[in-house]
């Protein structure tokens, strides 16, 4: 079985670097990946966000981002919302742990079965409590 790619960085050229579970199991590599995302050199795919939420959970993702400073915000609710937003736009819903598509225009996430739900940003913001 071929390993599932979780993220990608555009360097080194010409093919860039693909990240797999074996890479992101190492927190220092996740910090490095977040650093690359911060300077728009890398993207975390839906499978990557799934892995991060399953393997680390929100609290450890926040700790990792503290080291990187990619999405870090003084307002904890805004910081959590930013993490969730990046996951949603990649195609992964960390609230329901499912894949699908996020509509920024409508503020909804539609899972692979076609079930659409409105994202409650206040609820996500309030995860800080």
């Amino acid at each position: 079985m071929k390993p599932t790619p979780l993220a990608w960085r555009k360097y080194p050229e010409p093919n860039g670097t693909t990240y797999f579970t074996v890479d992101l199991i190492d927190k220092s590599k996740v910090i490095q990946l977040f650093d690359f995302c911060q300077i728009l050199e890398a993207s975390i795919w839906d499978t990557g966000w799934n892995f991060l939420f399953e393997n680390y959970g929100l609290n450890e993702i926040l700790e990792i981002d503290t080291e990187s400073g990619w999405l870090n915000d003084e307002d904890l609710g805004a910081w959590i919302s930013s993490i969730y937003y990046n996951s949603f736009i990649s195609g992964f819903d960390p609230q329901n742990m499912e894949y699908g598509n996020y509509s920024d225009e409508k503020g909804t996430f539609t899972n692979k079965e076609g079930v659409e739900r409105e994202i409650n940003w206040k609820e996500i913001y309030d995860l800080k409590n």
Side-chain angles (χ1 to χ4, degrees):
M1 179 179 230
K2 189 176 178 181
T4 303
L6 305 178
W8 178 80
R9 179 180 180 224
K10 67 181 179 179
Y11 296 110
E13 294 180 330
N15 298 322
T17 305
T18 302
Y19 294 83
F20 298 95
T21 300
V22 67
D23 302 306
L24 299 188
I25 201 77
D26 178 348
K27 271 190 186 181
S28 67
K29 293 238 176 139
V30 179
I31 293 167
Q32 185 181 57
L33 175 62
F34 279 23
D35 288 343
F36 294 141
C37 287
Q38 182 175 5
I39 58 173
L40 306 177
E41 287 186 3
S43 295
I44 301 171
W45 295 330
D46 54 358
T47 52
W49 283 108
N50 185 8
F51 173 81
L52 293 173
F53 275 95
E54 279 188 356
N55 191 65
Y56 294 107
L58 178 59
N59 288 334
E60 279 190 81
I61 291 171
L62 289 167
E63 288 175 20
I64 289 166
D65 194 44
T66 298
E67 293 292 319
S68 165
W70 172 32
L71 301 168
N72 195 334
D73 192 305
E74 288 182 21
D75 180 330
L76 180 58
W79 186 9
I80 292 168
S81 297
S82 185
I83 290 169
Y84 273 65
Y85 178 76
N86 276 274
S87 182
F88 284 132
I89 63 173
S90 80
F92 182 71
D93 175 354
Q95 288 182 300
N96 293 330
M97 301 299 280
E98 58 189 11
Y99 295 100
N101 293 300
Y102 176 71
S103 170
D104 217 3
E105 184 179 299
K106 296 190 323 186
T108 59
F109 191 88
T110 305
N111 69 17
K112 294 290 183 186
E113 287 74 39
V115 177
E116 181 180 79
R117 72 178 185 88
E118 187 173 339
I119 302 302
N120 183 338
W121 288 106
K122 181 178 177 352
E123 179 181 300
I124 292 169
Y125 184 90
D126 288 342
L127 290 173
K128 67 182 183 177
N129 296 327

